[in-house]
Amino acid sequence: MQDFLAILISFFLIEPLESAMADRFGNASRENVAAIAVCIRDATPVFIQQASNDPWKAATNVMEIWTGMTPPEEILASATSGCADAVGALRVPNGDAGV
């Protein structure tokens, strides 16, 4: 069951999250892109665990990303403190890809 859940989370949450982040911050520096890639890799097991514990929260995250109700970086930043730092670096006003 855990493997099936991981596949669903990967398809419906992680892949759209990666795509949305690439679309929004495509002009970011290599360092920022690398930090976001590490963040997404580190956040994947967190999202899978959250989906195991609270499927409604996972479904909500998926819908918020797919409908554009919540910026993908906000959901990503909430996953781990490292993600919050990586996303924060993208939001620096004078940064390469500030939002």
Side-chain angles (χ1 to χ4, degrees), residues 2-24:
Q2 188 76 6
D3 291 337
F4 180 69
L5 185 59
I7 291 168
L8 288 176
I9 293 299
S10 177
F11 182 74
F12 288 108
L13 183 63
I14 302 302
E15 290 178 17
L17 187 63
E18 288 174 333
S19 177
M21 293 299 290
D23 290 347
R24 290 175 61 89

Side-chain angles (χ1 to χ4, degrees), residues 9 40-53 78-80:
I9 293 299
I40 291 173
R41 185 190 70 224
D42 292 345
T44 298
V46 173
F47 287 132
I48 293 169
Q49 185 63 40
Q50 286 175 349
S52 295
N53 296 336
S78 70
T80 69

Side-chain angles (χ1 to χ4, degrees), residues 53-87:
N53 296 336
D54 187 359
W56 288 111
K57 176 65 175 169
T60 300
N61 284 342
V62 167
M63 291 307 296
E64 288 176 345
I65 288 175
W66 281 42
T67 62
M69 291 175 53
T70 301
E73 65 270 17
E74 186 176 311
I75 291 172
L76 187 60
S78 70
T80 69
S81 60
C83 288
D85 294 342
V87 170

